[in-house]
């Protein structure tokens, strides 16, 4: 069965710093990959997703993620964070054969100092 | 239209009682998902429905948990004989389903916060 690891539990950055949140998955076959975000007091929402094609995926609010198949990774990046990026970020994976079973990581809490 | 709604928003119950959690998906969404988020944990997959069928129930933690969906719309998650470890936020999401092995975007509800005393 597939699983997802997010090794950074809590990341604290200053505004304008660059961000990279790690995500590794375990599954040898074709995968669908996602990053979701939950802003304080709001619902979970999709940031970006990868299914196929260009491994560098761009999402909303200036976020991007790169799928590196050889490393089983799908790290989230943003060149310059803002205070409004304070949120919890979840990486998720599903397999091609069981696409609707989307497994989430434990999440990374991002705190931005103004 | 409206987003995914869940009721109740908060539920406090005593150990051993049964609870029912409700999810109203976005109109037209054929897929519906239940997750559990315990304090400090990620989202734990419980079950998903395609229409009224649940192809994968492997995430349900025990036989005290069950779920059903009727009319391809509303879903109910039932927890029988609740235990303190059932305390968590139960999240529901819906989507247009999958297409060629690729899931459509999930839209999440606000969750039901369950506290078992």
């Amino acid at each position: 069965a597939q699983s997802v690891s997010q090794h950074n539990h809590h990341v604290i950055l200053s505004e304008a710093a660059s961000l990279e949140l790690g995500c590794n998955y375990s599954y040898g076959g074709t995968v669908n990959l996602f990053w979701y975000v939950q802003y304080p007091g709001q619902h979970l929402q999709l940031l970006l997703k990868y299914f196929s094609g260009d491994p560098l995926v761009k999402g909303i609010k200036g976020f991007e993620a790169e799928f590196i198949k050889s490393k089983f990774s799908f790290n989230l990046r943003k060149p310059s964070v803002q205070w409004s990026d304070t949120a919890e970020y979840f990486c998720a994976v599903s397999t091609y054969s069981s696409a609707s079973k989307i497994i989430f990581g434990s999440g990374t809490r991002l705190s931005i100092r103004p | 239209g409206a987003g995914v709604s869940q009721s109740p928003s908060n539920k406090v119950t005593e150990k051993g009682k049964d609870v029912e959690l409700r999810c109203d998906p976005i109109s037209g969404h054929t897929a519906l998902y239940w997750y559990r988020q315990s304090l400090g944990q990620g989202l734990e997959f419980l079950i998903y429905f395609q229409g009224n069928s649940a192809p994968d129930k492997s995430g349900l933690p025990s036989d005290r948990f069950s779920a059903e969906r009727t009319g391809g719309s509303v879903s109910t998650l039932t927890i029988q004989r609740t235990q303190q470890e059932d305390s968590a936020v139960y999240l529901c999401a819906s989507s247009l389903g999958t297409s060629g092995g690729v899931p459509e975007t999930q839209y999440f509800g606000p969750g039901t916060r369950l506290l078992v005393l």
Side-chain angles (χ1 to χ4, degrees):
Chain A
Q2 71 271 35
S3 65
V4 180
S5 296
Q6 292 182 248
H7 304 293
N8 310 109
H9 298 294
H10 188 193
V11 173
I12 303 173
L13 296 172
S14 297
E15 276 195 312
S18 64
L19 169 72
E20 181 160 3
L21 300 182
C23 172
N24 288 92
Y25 66 92
S26 63
Y27 184 76
T30 303
V31 292
N32 305 305
L33 295 159
F34 312 83
W35 275 98
Y36 279 82
V37 61
Q38 187 168 27
Y39 297 104
Q42 296 188 24
H43 305 177
L44 268 166
Q45 58 184 280
L46 183 69
L47 256 186
L48 49 78
K49 58 188 178 185
Y50 169 82
F51 299 139
S52 63
D54 188 345
L56 184 61
V57 180
K58 296 194 184 297
I60 60 172
K61 304 188 180 186
F63 285 91
E64 64 179 32
E66 186 175 13
F67 169 49
I68 302 179
K69 189 173 181 179
S70 61
K71 295 184 178 180
F72 298 89
S73 70
F74 190 57
N75 292 354
L76 182 70
R77 301 194 294 246
K78 185 170 183 178
S80 176
V81 295
Q82 302 172 304
W83 179 78
S84 58
D85 293 326
T86 295
E88 187 140 22
Y89 294 80
F90 295 91
C91 184
V93 64
S94 74
T95 68
Y96 184 85
S97 58
S98 189
S100 289
K101 186 174 181 178
I102 301 175
I103 304 300
F104 283 74
S106 57
T108 296
R109 186 156 63 99
L110 176 64
S111 300
I112 305 298
R113 292 189 290 249
Chain B
V4 178
S5 61
Q6 293 185 246
S7 61
S9 53
N10 291 281
K11 177 72 177 178
V12 180
T13 189
E14 294 178 348
K15 178 181 172 181
K17 295 285 179 67
D18 298 351
V19 296
E20 281 190 355
L21 312 180
R22 177 187 168 108
C23 173
D24 283 86
I26 292 172
S27 178
H29 279 191
T30 57
L32 185 147
Y33 309 78
W34 284 99
Y35 294 89
R36 177 169 72 174
Q37 186 174 25
S38 304
L39 191 63
Q41 304 293 315
L43 275 71
E44 177 187 1
F45 171 86
L46 297 179
I47 189 171
Y48 85 91
F49 289 89
Q50 183 60 44
N52 292 334
S53 301
D56 190 331
K57 301 180 182 179
S58 62
L60 294 175
S62 74
D63 59 8
R64 296 186 294 105
F65 287 72
S66 63
E68 65 174 15
R69 189 180 186 194
T70 54
S73 182
V74 172
S75 176
T76 302
L77 178 69
T78 302
I79 309 173
Q80 295 178 309
R81 305 180 303 282
T82 52
Q83 303 294 312
Q84 288 182 330
E85 60 263 29
D86 299 334
S87 296
V89 176
Y90 289 82
L91 291 169
C92 176
S94 71
S95 78
L96 290 170
T98 63
S99 176
V102 174
E104 298 289 344
T105 298
Q106 290 182 308
Y107 295 86
F108 282 82
T112 292
R113 190 174 300 274
L114 175 66
L115 178 61
V116 182
L117 300 176

mmCIF file of all heavy atoms in Angstrom, chain B residues 91-111:
data_model
loop_
_atom_site.group_PDB
_atom_site.id
_atom_site.type_symbol
_atom_site.label_atom_id
_atom_site.label_comp_id
_atom_site.label_asym_id
_atom_site.label_seq_id
_atom_site.Cartn_x
_atom_site.Cartn_y
_atom_site.Cartn_z
ATOM 1 N N LEU B 91 -13.598 14.516 8.520
ATOM 2 C CA LEU B 91 -13.713 15.345 7.327
ATOM 3 C C LEU B 91 -14.351 14.564 6.196
ATOM 4 O O LEU B 91 -14.071 13.378 6.003
ATOM 5 C CB LEU B 91 -12.339 15.832 6.883
ATOM 6 C CG LEU B 91 -11.648 16.856 7.780
ATOM 7 C CD1 LEU B 91 -10.198 17.038 7.367
ATOM 8 C CD2 LEU B 91 -12.366 18.189 7.724
ATOM 9 N N CYS B 92 -15.181 15.257 5.449
ATOM 10 C CA CYS B 92 -15.799 14.697 4.266
ATOM 11 C C CYS B 92 -15.334 15.510 3.062
ATOM 12 O O CYS B 92 -15.113 16.727 3.173
ATOM 13 C CB CYS B 92 -17.312 14.763 4.400
ATOM 14 S SG CYS B 92 -18.232 14.204 2.958
ATOM 15 N N ALA B 93 -15.179 14.860 1.951
ATOM 16 C CA ALA B 93 -14.828 15.540 0.708
ATOM 17 C C ALA B 93 -15.630 14.924 -0.422
ATOM 18 O O ALA B 93 -16.064 13.769 -0.334
ATOM 19 C CB ALA B 93 -13.330 15.425 0.416
ATOM 20 N N SER B 94 -15.834 15.694 -1.481
ATOM 21 C CA SER B 94 -16.490 15.140 -2.653
ATOM 22 C C SER B 94 -15.748 15.579 -3.908
ATOM 23 O O SER B 94 -14.980 16.548 -3.891
ATOM 24 C CB SER B 94 -17.965 15.553 -2.716
ATOM 25 O OG SER B 94 -18.129 16.931 -3.029
ATOM 26 N N SER B 95 -15.970 14.825 -4.988
ATOM 27 C CA SER B 95 -15.338 15.168 -6.258
ATOM 28 C C SER B 95 -16.175 14.607 -7.393
ATOM 29 O O SER B 95 -17.136 13.862 -7.179
ATOM 30 C CB SER B 95 -13.915 14.610 -6.334
ATOM 31 O OG SER B 95 -13.932 13.225 -6.638
ATOM 32 N N LEU B 96 -15.776 14.935 -8.607
ATOM 33 C CA LEU B 96 -16.469 14.425 -9.784
ATOM 34 C C LEU B 96 -16.072 12.979 -10.090
ATOM 35 O O LEU B 96 -16.537 12.415 -11.081
ATOM 36 C CB LEU B 96 -16.179 15.331 -10.985
ATOM 37 C CG LEU B 96 -16.832 16.710 -10.923
ATOM 38 C CD1 LEU B 96 -16.283 17.618 -12.021
ATOM 39 C CD2 LEU B 96 -18.350 16.593 -11.056
ATOM 40 N N GLY B 97 -15.209 12.403 -9.282
ATOM 41 C CA GLY B 97 -14.829 11.010 -9.480
ATOM 42 C C GLY B 97 -13.446 10.905 -10.079
ATOM 43 O O GLY B 97 -12.563 11.694 -9.755
ATOM 44 N N THR B 98 -13.261 9.923 -10.911
ATOM 45 C CA THR B 98 -11.961 9.742 -11.550
ATOM 46 C C THR B 98 -12.158 9.620 -13.052
ATOM 47 O O THR B 98 -13.243 9.301 -13.534
ATOM 48 C CB THR B 98 -11.242 8.475 -11.049
ATOM 49 O OG1 THR B 98 -12.030 7.337 -11.409
ATOM 50 C CG2 THR B 98 -11.072 8.502 -9.541
ATOM 51 N N SER B 99 -11.079 9.878 -13.761
ATOM 52 C CA SER B 99 -11.104 9.754 -15.202
ATOM 53 C C SER B 99 -9.776 9.176 -15.649
ATOM 54 O O SER B 99 -8.740 9.821 -15.497
ATOM 55 C CB SER B 99 -11.346 11.135 -15.836
ATOM 56 O OG SER B 99 -11.290 11.057 -17.240
ATOM 57 N N GLY B 100 -9.810 7.952 -16.138
ATOM 58 C CA GLY B 100 -8.582 7.334 -16.622
ATOM 59 C C GLY B 100 -7.506 7.200 -15.574
ATOM 60 O O GLY B 100 -6.339 7.455 -15.840
ATOM 61 N N GLY B 101 -7.901 6.809 -14.360
ATOM 62 C CA GLY B 101 -6.908 6.608 -13.315
ATOM 63 C C GLY B 101 -6.444 7.875 -12.647
ATOM 64 O O GLY B 101 -5.499 7.869 -11.860
ATOM 65 N N VAL B 102 -7.113 8.983 -12.939
ATOM 66 C CA VAL B 102 -6.736 10.267 -12.360
ATOM 67 C C VAL B 102 -7.924 10.830 -11.592
ATOM 68 O O VAL B 102 -8.999 10.999 -12.160
ATOM 69 C CB VAL B 102 -6.324 11.260 -13.464
ATOM 70 C CG1 VAL B 102 -6.077 12.636 -12.870
ATOM 71 C CG2 VAL B 102 -5.080 10.757 -14.186
ATOM 72 N N PRO B 103 -7.752 11.101 -10.309
ATOM 73 C CA PRO B 103 -8.891 11.615 -9.544
ATOM 74 C C PRO B 103 -9.126 13.092 -9.808
ATOM 75 O O PRO B 103 -8.183 13.871 -9.974
ATOM 76 C CB PRO B 103 -8.462 11.392 -8.090
ATOM 77 C CG PRO B 103 -6.974 11.430 -8.121
ATOM 78 C CD PRO B 103 -6.565 10.908 -9.476
ATOM 79 N N GLU B 104 -10.370 13.460 -9.845
ATOM 80 C CA GLU B 104 -10.734 14.861 -9.937
ATOM 81 C C GLU B 104 -10.468 15.543 -8.589
ATOM 82 O O GLU B 104 -10.345 14.886 -7.562
ATOM 83 C CB GLU B 104 -12.206 15.004 -10.312
ATOM 84 C CG GLU B 104 -12.574 14.415 -11.674
ATOM 85 C CD GLU B 104 -12.033 15.232 -12.824
ATOM 86 O OE1 GLU B 104 -11.639 16.403 -12.605
ATOM 87 O OE2 GLU B 104 -11.996 14.712 -13.956
ATOM 88 N N THR B 105 -10.425 16.833 -8.603
ATOM 89 C CA THR B 105 -10.110 17.592 -7.389
ATOM 90 C C THR B 105 -11.139 17.328 -6.295
ATOM 91 O O THR B 105 -12.347 17.363 -6.542
ATOM 92 C CB THR B 105 -10.066 19.093 -7.706
ATOM 93 O OG1 THR B 105 -9.032 19.319 -8.662
ATOM 94 C CG2 THR B 105 -9.797 19.908 -6.445
ATOM 95 N N GLN B 106 -10.648 17.075 -5.088
ATOM 96 C CA GLN B 106 -11.523 16.907 -3.939
ATOM 97 C C GLN B 106 -11.824 18.269 -3.323
ATOM 98 O O GLN B 106 -10.941 19.116 -3.204
ATOM 99 C CB GLN B 106 -10.840 16.054 -2.872
ATOM 100 C CG GLN B 106 -10.661 14.608 -3.232
ATOM 101 C CD GLN B 106 -10.024 13.854 -2.083
ATOM 102 O OE1 GLN B 106 -8.988 14.254 -1.567
ATOM 103 N NE2 GLN B 106 -10.637 12.755 -1.669
ATOM 104 N N TYR B 107 -13.064 18.424 -2.903
ATOM 105 C CA TYR B 107 -13.484 19.622 -2.184
ATOM 106 C C TYR B 107 -13.909 19.185 -0.788
ATOM 107 O O TYR B 107 -14.768 18.320 -0.647
ATOM 108 C CB TYR B 107 -14.626 20.330 -2.921
ATOM 109 C CG TYR B 107 -14.198 20.869 -4.256
ATOM 110 C CD1 TYR B 107 -14.217 20.058 -5.393
ATOM 111 C CD2 TYR B 107 -13.736 22.180 -4.388
ATOM 112 C CE1 TYR B 107 -13.782 20.537 -6.617
ATOM 113 C CE2 TYR B 107 -13.312 22.663 -5.614
ATOM 114 C CZ TYR B 107 -13.323 21.831 -6.724
ATOM 115 O OH TYR B 107 -12.894 22.308 -7.930
ATOM 116 N N PHE B 108 -13.277 19.799 0.198
ATOM 117 C CA PHE B 108 -13.488 19.373 1.578
ATOM 118 C C PHE B 108 -14.545 20.201 2.282
ATOM 119 O O PHE B 108 -14.711 21.397 2.022
ATOM 120 C CB PHE B 108 -12.175 19.466 2.368
ATOM 121 C CG PHE B 108 -11.243 18.330 2.097
ATOM 122 C CD1 PHE B 108 -10.420 18.334 0.991
ATOM 123 C CD2 PHE B 108 -11.200 17.240 2.950
ATOM 124 C CE1 PHE B 108 -9.564 17.272 0.733
ATOM 125 C CE2 PHE B 108 -10.342 16.179 2.707
ATOM 126 C CZ PHE B 108 -9.523 16.191 1.601
ATOM 127 N N GLY B 109 -15.232 19.541 3.211
ATOM 128 C CA GLY B 109 -16.153 20.227 4.094
ATOM 129 C C GLY B 109 -15.423 20.750 5.325
ATOM 130 O O GLY B 109 -14.223 20.554 5.475
ATOM 131 N N PRO B 110 -16.162 21.393 6.229
ATOM 132 C CA PRO B 110 -15.550 21.992 7.413
ATOM 133 C C PRO B 110 -15.223 20.988 8.507
ATOM 134 O O PRO B 110 -14.497 21.309 9.440
ATOM 135 C CB PRO B 110 -16.625 22.977 7.890
ATOM 136 C CG PRO B 110 -17.903 22.370 7.411
ATOM 137 C CD PRO B 110 -17.587 21.699 6.111
ATOM 138 N N GLY B 111 -15.771 19.786 8.402
ATOM 139 C CA GLY B 111 -15.486 18.759 9.395
ATOM 140 C C GLY B 111 -16.471 18.753 10.551
ATOM 141 O O GLY B 111 -17.181 19.738 10.811
#
